[in-house]
Amino acid sequence: MIMIKMKTEEIKLRVSSSSRKGFVLVSVLMLSMLLISCATAFTWFVRMQVKSVYRTRSALTNRSMALVLSSNVISALVSIAEEVKADSPVQRWYQPFVFNIPDLGIWVVQVTPLDDKIPIGKLFLPDGDTLRRELTEVWRELWDKLGHRELEQLILDFMDRNSKPRVGSVENENFINRQPFDISELLALSSDVTHDIFYGNGTDPGFSDYCTVFSDGKINLNVAPVHVMELLPGLDRGDLAEKIAEVRTEKVLESFSDVQNLPGASPRTSTLLTNIADFKSRYFNIRLEYLSPDGEGGSSYNVVFDRTSRNIVRWEEI
């Protein structure tokens, strides 16, 4: 009987010892898993931080390189300004350029002449109130095209310097009464200028497709869209605007004689266009695209500059 009890106690001790060993083993395994999880999380955190630092450093490097390239482009275009009679996309310096910069990747740069639409910032005479005579009919035709003639005077009141309403219009507290810095400021008239009026409806162009703040006051016929040229006196009849668009794909338009010689031009075409059209631009858009060496990412920039003042007037990162 005593022997049986001793064996029983021995078995109990063995079982108790095995349980403790099992518990210790499970605890060690759980602790190991916890440590591995912490190490993995820390590694992931470090990796994310490194990527964040790398992205920030890359963004700063790309921004600096875009600025350097833009400055060089501006200097080059300023230097040739006196040598050329016109600015046209068919000229070789307005074709895309590819720069393969060691350790920094590939940059694609293309410059496009602007001054291509109705100069919204140059509608008025120096008094800031009187609409330029040569733009009077163009402005009226624009709102006829958009189908909102009721906005013709309201938009002028929005931008002119005085606070007196024009005939058939009103003056509101939110009117800027100055030359707009950006065409999107007209969306402040949100109750009157809807999204479709401003941007178009996908089929017909909107106000922003006809007007620009990036203009010296005249429209460059080498780059103006057909729908803009069709509003101009002398080009608003027949298909002369389309003929200009066709011809300029092959040659640079340098003077009004190039337009006057086109079939369909009237004897007065050049005279009618003198104060509203030109063949050179003051403003230019620089499109810069960066491709990283590993092909995993890139950056794009749109830069608008004024060749007369040599200043960058808009910087947009896409």
Side-chain angles (χ1 to χ4, degrees):
M1 188 69 176
I2 295 173
M3 291 294 293
I4 294 174
K5 286 184 178 180
M6 290 178 64
K7 288 183 178 180
T8 302
E9 291 297 326
E10 183 179 349
I11 292 172
K12 286 183 179 180
L13 287 173
R14 288 178 180 176
V15 171
S16 177
S17 177
S18 299
S19 298
R20 285 198 296 271
K21 288 180 180 179
F23 176 77
V24 171
L25 179 60
V26 171
S27 299
V28 170
L29 289 174
M30 291 182 64
L31 180 60
S32 298
M33 291 178 63
L34 178 62
L35 291 174
I36 292 172
S37 299
C38 290
T40 302
F42 180 73
T43 302
W44 177 83
F45 173 76
V46 171
R47 184 177 299 174
M48 293 300 294
Q49 290 297 103
V50 169
K51 285 186 175 181
S52 177
V53 171
Y54 176 77
R55 284 196 298 267
T56 301
R57 186 182 66 179
S58 296
L60 292 174
T61 301
N62 293 346
R63 201 170 294 134
S64 298
M65 182 56 66
L67 182 58
V68 169
L69 290 173
S70 298
S71 299
N72 288 333
V73 167
I74 293 172
S75 297
L77 287 180
V78 168
S79 66
I80 67 171
E82 299 298 326
E83 302 174 11
V84 297
K85 297 180 179 179
D87 294 298
S88 167
V90 301
Q91 292 165 318
R92 66 181 185 277
W93 45 88
Y94 295 124
Q95 305 304 307
F97 286 89
V98 178
F99 299 91
N100 190 354
I101 303 174
D103 301 324
L104 291 179
I106 297 173
W107 285 85
V108 181
V109 181
Q110 182 169 17
V111 183
T112 304
L114 298 180
D115 295 71
D116 56 339
K117 301 172 186 175
I118 297 170
I120 195 71
K122 301 289 183 179
L123 288 175
F124 304 109
L125 293 176
D127 64 5
D129 178 58
T130 307
L131 185 64
R132 287 168 54 190
R133 184 175 181 179
E134 62 271 17
L135 286 174
T136 301
E137 286 300 319
V138 176
W139 187 249
R140 184 173 294 115
E141 287 289 331
L142 166 62
W143 291 105
D144 282 341
K145 283 278 188 182
L146 295 176
H148 289 277
R149 186 70 176 273
E150 76 279 1
L151 297 177
E152 176 190 348
Q153 298 300 320
L154 184 68
I155 301 299
L156 294 178
D157 270 328
F158 181 72
M159 297 182 295
D160 65 18
R161 290 183 189 171
N162 66 60
S163 56
K164 295 167 54 179
R166 296 171 184 270
V167 176
S169 182
V170 295
E171 280 280 350
N172 293 331
E173 293 181 356
N174 66 326
F175 283 7
I176 59 176
N177 293 126
R178 57 166 171 76
Q179 175 180 323
F181 300 122
D182 189 277
I183 194 171
S184 62
E185 287 189 80
L186 274 79
L187 286 174
L189 287 167
S190 57
S191 60
D192 300 289
V193 181
T194 64
H195 184 277
D196 285 352
I197 294 174
F198 191 81
Y199 291 109
N201 55 21
T203 303
D204 300 316
F207 181 81
S208 61
D209 298 305
Y210 284 99
C211 300
T212 181
V213 296
F214 301 121
S215 173
D216 198 24
K218 293 185 178 182
I219 299 170
N220 183 349
L221 296 183
N222 281 298
V223 290
V226 171
H227 61 263
V228 171
M229 290 192 289
E230 287 176 341
L231 297 179
L232 305 184
L235 304 181
D236 54 352
R237 299 290 184 271
D239 59 353
L240 189 55
E242 293 182 358
K243 290 178 180 176
I244 291 175
E246 181 180 353
V247 168
R248 72 189 185 189
T249 61
E250 300 178 354
K251 60 172 289 185
V252 180
L253 301 176
E254 295 185 341
S255 67
F256 287 112
S257 62
D258 293 330
V259 176
Q260 194 67 59
N261 293 331
L262 293 176
S266 74
R268 298 184 62 242
T269 297
S270 295
T271 303
L272 293 171
L273 290 171
T274 299
N275 294 322
I276 194 174
D278 203 351
F279 303 92
K280 295 188 72 172
S281 295
R282 173 174 176 172
Y283 293 89
F284 299 82
N285 184 81
I286 308 175
R287 172 79 176 190
L288 305 107
E289 296 187 28
Y290 165 73
L291 302 176
S292 63
D294 55 14
E296 292 186 356
S299 304
S300 297
Y301 305 85
N302 275 330
V303 180
V304 178
F305 75 92
D306 178 348
R307 184 163 64 181
T308 301
S309 66
R310 306 187 182 191
N311 291 329
I312 292 176
V313 295
R314 172 180 287 178
W315 180 283
E316 181 183 11
E317 298 186 23
I318 302 172

